Amino acid sequence: MDGAGALEFTAPDTYTLPIIQSSGVNPGDGPTNLSIHDCIFKSDRSAISIFGGISVDIFENTFEYFDETPFGVSTGYYAIRLGRSDDVLISQNSIYLDGAWDDDDDGVAGIDNPQPTSNLTVINNSIYINPIDAARIDGINLTNGSNDFVVDHNTVVIEGLSPDDEGVVGINISMNGMSNTISIRNNIVSITRDNLDGLKQGLSFNGGTSTVEGNNVFLSDDGSIERLVGSFQADNLETIQTMYPGTTFEEMTFDFTSSVAVLSGASLSNKNLRGQFLA
């Protein structure tokens, strides 16, 4: 699916759509060699939903949700959702969710994988989330992994004021079995959302063999339970940097007018080393 091309229909599973505003893209169970790129998604509960896919590429799409309620408000909101898939690349997508959800019974996530998936790469995506209310917020939530997961050079910003004690996680990964591998490298996570007494986590991961290095994690101190990396809190900075080399804790701000992350600290200025919002 090439959203940059002309509007046309060429085959049962090949569409070219520049702007998608209703039910999003759901190709059914088991798509193979599927590519979705250069599309603009607006107001969809699950803008892209892929289950049972093999060789799936999702890249250079834009997801824009402002002060409106997305369609189908009964099961949570996810910009990209997948499961039971193999060989998936999610890269260079811009996900912007601002005030698009108000339901403390369901969750919100930029990228969500609730069912076993293998060989998943999530790289250089920008995710901004600021819902009115939610049961839980995840920038990147990858669970039930059954083989290699790579999460590199992504930027996750979660802001706002929650009316409840919601859980907020920048990047969450869990694997089924210690023989599987996780790579979490060179990501930026900034969580300044005030979630009262809820749990706030920068990087959360379990299961598998993990490589976690070169990430910048910043959590604002608002009285919530705060875990920067794994189970370690702000009083364990030296331990974090020893166990996870190259971890930094620089605060960052977000420029709404240009959709560019403005970073503080020289260690964050090299775009080749850090994730970034895409212009």
Side-chain angles (χ1 to χ4, degrees):
M1 176 179 290
D2 179 4
L7 180 62
E8 61 183 34
F9 172 74
T10 57
D13 58 353
T14 304
Y15 302 86
T16 298
L17 299 171
I19 299 180
I20 300 165
Q21 289 187 294
S22 57
S23 58
V25 175
N26 183 352
D29 199 41
T32 302
N33 297 320
L34 176 65
S35 178
I36 303 171
H37 61 94
D38 293 291
C39 294
I40 299 173
F41 294 87
K42 297 187 177 184
S43 302
D44 303 304
R45 174 172 55 82
S46 294
I48 296 178
S49 182
I50 307 292
F51 286 84
I54 299 176
S55 297
V56 177
D57 290 349
I58 302 170
F59 63 97
E60 296 184 6
N61 299 288
T62 299
F63 303 80
E64 298 176 348
Y65 306 85
F66 299 95
D67 292 316
E68 53 189 281
T69 300
F71 293 94
V73 297
S74 61
T75 57
Y77 171 75
Y78 316 93
I80 300 173
R81 199 174 207 203
L82 64 150
R84 305 192 318 275
S85 298
D86 181 43
D87 189 19
V88 178
L89 172 65
I90 302 174
S91 68
Q92 295 182 279
N93 298 284
S94 179
I95 299 172
Y96 187 89
L97 316 177
D98 187 22
W101 189 258
D102 186 4
D103 189 338
D104 61 5
D105 292 327
D106 293 300
V108 174
I111 300 172
D112 187 61
N113 178 79
Q115 299 181 8
T117 288
S118 59
N119 302 310
L120 171 61
T121 298
V122 180
I123 185 170
N124 200 23
N125 300 279
S126 66
I127 301 172
Y128 174 84
I129 304 178
N130 179 10
I132 298 169
D133 194 7
R136 175 183 167 113
I137 301 172
D138 292 271
I140 299 173
N141 183 42
L142 311 178
T143 60
N144 291 304
S146 58
N147 208 332
D148 299 346
F149 276 14
V150 175
V151 180
D152 286 5
H153 286 88
N154 300 284
T155 300
V156 175
V157 176
I158 302 175
E159 294 185 340
L161 174 63
S162 170
D164 301 303
D165 298 338
E166 63 195 10
V168 181
V169 185
I171 298 174
N172 178 52
I173 301 177
S174 66
M175 303 294 283
N176 298 326
M178 294 303 294
S179 63
N180 302 315
T181 62
I182 303 170
S183 174
I184 307 174
R185 300 174 62 250
N186 298 317
N187 300 282
I188 290 177
V189 173
S190 174
I191 302 177
T192 59
R193 187 174 180 84
D194 187 343
N195 61 333
L196 303 179
D197 296 325
L199 175 62
K200 184 184 298 182
Q201 295 180 281
L203 304 179
S204 174
F205 46 91
N206 61 81
T209 302
S210 303
T211 299
V212 180
E213 60 186 18
N215 301 285
N216 184 84
V217 182
F218 177 81
L219 308 181
S220 61
D221 184 4
D222 52 27
S224 60
I225 303 170
E226 297 155 10
R227 297 176 181 170
L228 288 162
V229 180
S231 61
F232 293 107
Q233 301 185 23
D235 56 352
N236 299 114
L237 297 186
E238 292 185 3
T239 301
I240 293 173
Q241 290 176 320
T242 298
M243 295 185 63
Y244 308 109
T247 304
T248 52
F249 311 99
E250 299 279 356
E251 183 176 3
M252 62 181 294
T253 59
F254 182 78
D255 182 350
F256 292 93
T257 59
S258 60
S259 296
V260 173
V262 180
L263 310 180
S264 65
S267 66
L268 302 180
S269 63
N270 186 343
K271 67 181 181 180
N272 295 318
L273 299 178
R274 301 292 186 181
Q276 61 197 327
F277 277 86
L278 306 175

